[in-house]
């Protein structure tokens, strides 16, 4: 069965869940993380995507930024994503990108995490994409996941 008929195109960002949790925690540190994207591929199994925005005010670009550079600030998030990926036998992709129309908009770095520990990512496969080449790869993967 082709699920394209039972699935819909993305329409808008739903930040209401994030806003609700933020309100409920009332400033408390969070023990949870948000998944940016979870999908199931008949060929690869579960795939988790985490989008890592490189703001144009930063000194790094999507090609030069890496989670290990800011591990001390955000390790809990990456460790939790890794634990979830292992529990689901999933592939974890960390994807560095910049917003469209900015200086580094045409740089996308996909980091396929192969292993990590409390000190950072220890094994990975990386691939540099242009915006167009990433879009092509991502759309093809998405289409496979619809079947």
């Amino acid at each position: 069965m082709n699920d394209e008929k039972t699935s819909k195109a993305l329409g808008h960002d739903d930040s209401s869940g994030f806003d609700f949790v933020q309100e409920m925690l009332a400033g408390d540190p969070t023990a949870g993380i948000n998944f940016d994207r979870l999908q199931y591929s008949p060929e690869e199994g579960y795939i988790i995507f985490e989008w890592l925005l490189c703001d144009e005010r930063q000194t790094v670009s999507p090609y030069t930024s890496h989670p290990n550079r800011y591990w001390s600030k955000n390790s809990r998030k990456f460790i939790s994503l890794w634990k979830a990926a292992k529990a689901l036998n999933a592939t974890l992709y960390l994807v560095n990108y910049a917003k469209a129309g900015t200086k580094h908009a045409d740089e996308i770095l996909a980091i396929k995490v192969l292993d990590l520990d409390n000190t950072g990512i220890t094994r990975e496969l990386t691939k540099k994409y242009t915006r167009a080449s990433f879009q092509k790869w991502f759309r093809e993967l998405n289409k496979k996941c619809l079947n």
Side-chain angles (χ1 to χ4, degrees):
M1 174 172 105
N2 186 333
D3 285 335
E4 283 188 61
K5 293 175 177 64
T6 60
S7 189
K8 63 181 183 175
L10 291 175
H12 61 85
D13 182 21
D14 181 10
S15 61
S16 63
F18 174 85
D19 293 342
F20 178 70
V21 170
Q22 189 175 39
E23 176 191 348
M24 294 299 103
L25 287 175
D28 295 344
T30 183
I33 59 163
N34 294 329
F35 281 65
D36 285 331
R37 185 171 183 89
L38 173 67
Q39 62 190 60
Y40 182 78
S41 163
E43 296 169 6
E44 299 179 44
Y46 284 104
I47 304 169
I48 298 171
F49 286 95
E50 182 66 19
W51 310 123
L52 305 174
L53 175 64
C54 291
D55 191 274
E56 60 186 323
R57 295 172 293 192
Q58 294 175 295
T59 58
V60 294
S61 74
Y63 284 170
T64 62
S65 183
H66 192 282
N68 285 350
R69 292 177 65 135
Y70 51 93
W71 193 260
S72 62
K73 295 179 183 177
N74 222 358
S75 62
R76 180 183 210 128
K77 172 183 180 175
F78 298 116
I79 291 168
S80 294
L81 284 166
W82 182 243
K83 286 180 179 178
K86 288 178 70 172
L88 291 170
N89 196 27
T91 300
L92 174 60
Y93 284 101
L94 307 175
V95 180
N96 292 346
Y97 73 101
K99 289 183 180 178
T102 62
K103 181 179 177 182
H104 299 292
D106 207 32
E107 293 184 13
I108 297 176
L109 180 70
I111 303 167
K112 183 178 182 178
V113 178
L114 302 176
D115 202 6
L116 67 74
D117 62 22
N118 289 336
T119 65
I121 298 169
T122 59
R123 286 190 323 119
E124 66 192 51
L125 292 174
T126 61
K127 184 164 182 181
K128 291 180 179 179
Y129 290 93
T130 63
R131 206 167 193 86
S133 66
F134 182 81
Q135 181 183 44
K136 182 177 189 273
W137 174 79
F138 190 69
R139 290 183 76 200
E140 287 172 3
L141 176 62
N142 186 66
K143 190 171 189 173
K144 289 177 187 176
C145 293
L146 287 169
N147 292 322

